[in-house]
Amino acid sequence: MNYQNDKKTISIPLVVAITLVVGMFIGATFFGKRTSSIDLGSNVNNKFKEILMHIDQSYVDEVSIDSLADYGISQMLLKLDPHTAYLPKQEAVLAKSELQSGFDGIGVEFNIFNDSLFVVSPLSGGPSEAVGIQTGDIILKADSTNLTGSKLSNTLVFNTLRGPRNSIVKLTVKRKNFSKPLTFNVKRDKIPTYTVDAAYMLENSKIGYIKINRFGETTYDEFKKSLQDLKNEGMASLIIDLRGNPGGYMDKATSIVDELVGGNEVIVYTKGKDKSNNYTVNAGQKGIFESGKIVVLVDEGSASASEIVSGALQDYDRATVVGRRTFGKGLVQAPIQLSDGSELRLTISRYYIPSGRSIQKPYELGNQLDYRKDIMNRHNSGELFSKDSVKFNNKQKYKTKGGKVVYGGGGIMPDIFVPQDTSYYNTYLFELFNGNIFREYTLEYAAKNKVSLEKMGYETYMKTFQINDAMLTDFVSMATKNKIPYVAKDFKNSKKYIQTQIKALIARNVWKSKNGLVNEYYQIVNQDDDMVKIAQKQLMK
């Protein structure tokens, strides 16, 4: 399969890839929470405090001692591996909520567009839905905090709308066809978070598809339920999509592997300086799907726990791995909570998958810049577009259970390579995404046409509905009004992709699956997805 990729089009998805990688430097494979009581001696303990005390007492200008301390800690950790990190209290709370089963808030999916905070959807059963917040509402204020203008950001929204359970926030809302703003008092409650995005049967087949976006507190339970539901629908083989999945809790990954492999052999083991951090996880429980073909989809954004799943299944010859070489994160972090609520995520060991290989890519202590450039280097070397550009270390050659040769020292190399397709990418498309045009247009279209679309029904919509030229004209017009100049050549090049995204996002806004699933979106976009097509062919052999 040959794609025509030039340097301009390739550079745009690279920006997305680099953004994705940022999350991985926080560390993704955690053990349980820890506290520290290590005595390093009075000299080391007191030196840092002593310097800060002198600055606080005698420095000529007013400065924030807390900010200086945070900065000093962060700079110190740069001398270690790329995944050891320090999170100030606020960041620690936000990062933790991404993996835990829920957080306390008002329960809305939102979109920032034109310096305004739009409600994409009140979450089903959540506090906002209960008081009457609707899709398309614009939240102007939360208590006395303005949520409009150039200072509006995701961080401001999270800080304002999240809060202690049972606390009340007064929302001032602008609603279409109402001359005056509306006021709602919303009592915050626990909002569930989901990590399985999709679980459905591919059309006219016995192939199930499950998409996991990260490995959080509830991932195993979500996966197991989805797996059983698909088996009940007649699933005989399975696609597990781990593309762009940066990892998460290691025990959730090993539990998923255990559902898919028989026996009681090793799934993963760890080695570190402190022997108390060394342990082995074996299979053992009777799994739901221990027979039947499996394909795992991966790419350069699949890291940590994703690599445990794909690597272990590959080592057992239990699954065919399809895609591109994974990120290569085989370092294990322990979250150590500090006294002020901040958190140290300290690398304590390396993990190894059944063949004995480590998938951690090389790094130099204190040289995080080169490590962060790895995805860019893969792009520049052509690795993302040609299997022949991937270089293996023959000193790290291992064998799977069935004798197939695999390599350690830098991610999981797929059994079937699929090049990155950037043929439809260009600056205009990037600006459309960056300006939230897709989300805003499809939200508006769905709101105006919801009744007729629901009457049509999703199955008919998926098979027959077309994004016509009139819709595309309105879409381009919205972009132009929002200072994204029309580029005819780029639009023509991306037209099919744009149509697919618009159709899928409209479906997502009109029909909502239960338990956080967005099957309608993935059923549409996966029809044009090369990796899914290759996986389907592999499973039908």
Side-chain angles (χ1 to χ4, degrees), residues 390-418:
V390 182
K391 306 300 179 186
F392 297 105
N393 184 348
N394 286 320
K395 293 181 180 179
Q396 297 201 42
K397 186 181 291 186
Y398 299 84
K399 289 187 177 180
T400 68
K401 190 176 181 180
K404 181 176 60 182
V405 174
V406 289
Y407 293 88
I412 301 298
M413 184 64 194
D415 302 298
I416 300 174
F417 178 83
V418 181

Coordinates of all heavy atoms in Angstrom, one line a residue, residues 390-418:
V390 N 12.5 0.7 9.7 CA 12.6 0.3 11.1 C 13.9 -0.5 11.3 O 14.2 -1.5 10.6 CB 11.4 -0.5 11.5 CG1 11.5 -0.9 13.0 CG2 10.1 0.2 11.2
K391 N 14.7 0.0 12.3 CA 16.0 -0.7 12.6 C 15.9 -1.5 13.9 O 15.5 -1.0 14.9 CB 17.1 0.4 12.7 CG 17.3 1.3 11.5 CD 17.6 0.6 10.2 CE 17.7 1.5 9.0 NZ 17.8 0.8 7.8
F392 N 16.3 -2.8 13.8 CA 16.2 -3.6 15.0 C 17.6 -3.8 15.6 O 18.6 -3.8 14.9 CB 15.6 -5.0 14.6 CG 14.2 -4.9 14.1 CD1 13.9 -5.1 12.7 CD2 13.2 -4.7 14.9 CE1 12.6 -5.0 12.2 CE2 11.9 -4.6 14.5 CZ 11.6 -4.8 13.1
N393 N 17.6 -4.1 16.9 CA 18.9 -4.4 17.6 C 19.0 -5.9 17.7 O 18.3 -6.6 18.4 CB 18.8 -3.8 19.0 CG 20.1 -4.0 19.7 OD1 21.0 -4.7 19.3 ND2 20.3 -3.3 20.8
N394 N 19.9 -6.5 16.9 CA 20.1 -7.9 16.8 C 20.5 -8.5 18.2 O 20.4 -9.7 18.4 CB 21.0 -8.3 15.7 CG 20.4 -8.2 14.3 OD1 19.2 -8.5 14.2 ND2 21.1 -7.7 13.4
K395 N 21.1 -7.7 19.1 CA 21.5 -8.1 20.4 C 20.2 -8.3 21.3 O 20.4 -8.9 22.4 CB 22.4 -7.2 21.0 CG 23.8 -7.1 20.3 CD 24.7 -6.1 21.0 CE 26.0 -6.0 20.3 NZ 27.0 -5.0 20.9
Q396 N 19.1 -7.8 20.9 CA 17.9 -8.0 21.7 C 16.8 -8.8 20.9 O 15.7 -8.4 20.7 CB 17.3 -6.6 22.1 CG 18.3 -5.8 22.9 CD 17.6 -4.7 23.7 OE1 16.5 -5.0 24.2 NE2 18.2 -3.6 23.8
K397 N 17.3 -9.9 20.4 CA 16.4 -10.8 19.7 C 15.8 -11.9 20.6 O 16.5 -12.5 21.4 CB 17.2 -11.5 18.5 CG 16.4 -12.4 17.6 CD 17.2 -13.0 16.5 CE 17.8 -12.0 15.6 NZ 18.5 -12.7 14.5
Y398 N 14.5 -12.0 20.5 CA 13.8 -13.0 21.4 C 12.8 -13.8 20.5 O 12.7 -13.5 19.3 CB 13.0 -12.2 22.5 CG 13.8 -11.4 23.4 CD1 14.2 -10.1 23.0 CD2 14.2 -11.9 24.6 CE1 15.0 -9.3 23.9 CE2 15.0 -11.1 25.5 CZ 15.4 -9.9 25.1 OH 16.2 -9.1 25.9
K399 N 12.2 -14.8 21.2 CA 11.3 -15.6 20.4 C 10.0 -15.7 21.2 O 10.0 -15.8 22.4 CB 11.9 -17.0 20.2 CG 13.0 -17.1 19.2 CD 13.4 -18.5 18.9 CE 14.5 -18.5 17.8 NZ 14.9 -19.9 17.4
T400 N 8.9 -15.8 20.4 CA 7.6 -16.0 21.0 C 7.4 -17.5 21.4 O 8.3 -18.3 21.1 CB 6.5 -15.6 20.0 OG1 6.4 -16.6 19.0 CG2 6.7 -14.2 19.5
K401 N 6.3 -17.8 22.1 CA 6.1 -19.1 22.5 C 6.1 -20.1 21.3 O 6.6 -21.3 21.5 CB 4.7 -19.2 23.2 CG 4.4 -20.5 23.9 CD 3.1 -20.4 24.6 CE 2.8 -21.8 25.4 NZ 1.5 -21.7 26.1
G402 N 5.7 -19.7 20.2 CA 5.7 -20.5 19.0 C 6.9 -20.5 18.2 O 7.0 -21.1 17.1
G403 N 7.9 -19.7 18.6 CA 9.2 -19.6 17.9 C 9.4 -18.5 17.0 O 10.4 -18.4 16.3
K404 N 8.5 -17.6 16.9 CA 8.6 -16.4 16.0 C 9.6 -15.4 16.6 O 9.6 -15.1 17.8 CB 7.2 -15.7 15.8 CG 7.2 -14.5 14.9 CD 5.8 -14.0 14.7 CE 5.1 -13.6 16.0 NZ 3.7 -13.2 15.8
V405 N 10.4 -14.8 15.8 CA 11.4 -13.8 16.3 C 10.8 -12.5 16.5 O 10.1 -11.9 15.6 CB 12.6 -13.7 15.2 CG1 13.5 -12.6 15.7 CG2 13.3 -15.0 15.1
V406 N 11.1 -11.9 17.7 CA 10.6 -10.6 18.0 C 11.8 -9.8 18.6 O 12.8 -10.4 19.0 CB 9.4 -10.6 19.0 CG1 8.2 -11.1 18.4 CG2 9.8 -11.4 20.2
Y407 N 11.7 -8.5 18.8 CA 12.8 -7.7 19.2 C 12.4 -6.8 20.4 O 11.3 -6.4 20.5 CB 13.3 -6.8 18.1 CG 13.9 -7.6 17.0 CD1 13.2 -8.0 15.9 CD2 15.3 -7.8 16.9 CE1 13.7 -8.7 14.9 CE2 15.9 -8.5 15.9 CZ 15.1 -9.0 14.9 OH 15.7 -9.7 13.8
G408 N 13.4 -6.7 21.3 CA 13.2 -5.8 22.5 C 13.9 -4.5 22.2 O 14.5 -4.2 21.2
G409 N 13.8 -3.6 23.3 CA 14.6 -2.4 23.2 C 14.0 -1.2 22.5 O 14.7 -0.3 22.0
G410 N 12.7 -1.2 22.3 CA 12.1 -0.1 21.6 C 10.7 -0.3 21.1 O 10.5 -0.2 19.9
G411 N 9.8 -0.6 22.0 CA 8.4 -0.7 21.6 C 8.1 -2.1 21.0 O 8.9 -3.0 20.9
I412 N 6.8 -2.3 20.6 CA 6.3 -3.5 20.0 C 6.2 -3.3 18.5 O 5.5 -2.4 18.0 CB 4.9 -3.9 20.6 CG1 5.0 -4.1 22.1 CG2 4.4 -5.2 19.9 CD1 5.9 -5.2 22.6
M413 N 7.0 -4.1 17.8 CA 6.9 -4.0 16.3 C 5.7 -4.9 15.8 O 5.6 -6.1 16.2 CB 8.2 -4.5 15.7 CG 8.2 -4.4 14.2 SD 8.1 -2.6 13.6 CE 7.7 -2.8 11.9
P414 N 4.8 -4.4 15.1 CA 3.6 -5.2 14.6 C 4.0 -6.3 13.7 O 5.1 -6.3 13.0 CB 2.8 -4.2 13.9 CG 3.7 -3.1 13.5 CD 4.7 -3.0 14.6
D415 N 3.2 -7.3 13.6 CA 3.4 -8.4 12.7 C 3.1 -8.0 11.3 O 3.7 -8.5 10.3 CB 2.5 -9.6 13.1 CG 2.7 -10.1 14.5 OD1 3.9 -10.5 14.8 OD2 1.8 -10.0 15.4
I416 N 2.1 -7.1 11.2 CA 1.7 -6.5 9.9 C 1.8 -5.0 10.0 O 1.1 -4.4 10.8 CB 0.3 -6.9 9.5 CG1 0.1 -8.4 9.4 CG2 -0.2 -6.3 8.2 CD1 -1.3 -8.9 9.2
F417 N 2.7 -4.5 9.2 CA 3.0 -3.0 9.2 C 2.0 -2.3 8.3 O 1.7 -2.7 7.2 CB 4.4 -2.7 8.7 CG 4.7 -1.3 8.6 CD1 5.2 -0.6 9.8 CD2 4.6 -0.6 7.4 CE1 5.5 0.8 9.7 CE2 5.0 0.8 7.4 CZ 5.4 1.4 8.5
V418 N 1.4 -1.2 8.8 CA 0.5 -0.3 8.1 C 1.1 1.1 8.1 O 1.2 1.7 9.2 CB -0.9 -0.3 8.6 CG1 -1.8 0.5 7.8 CG2 -1.5 -1.8 8.7

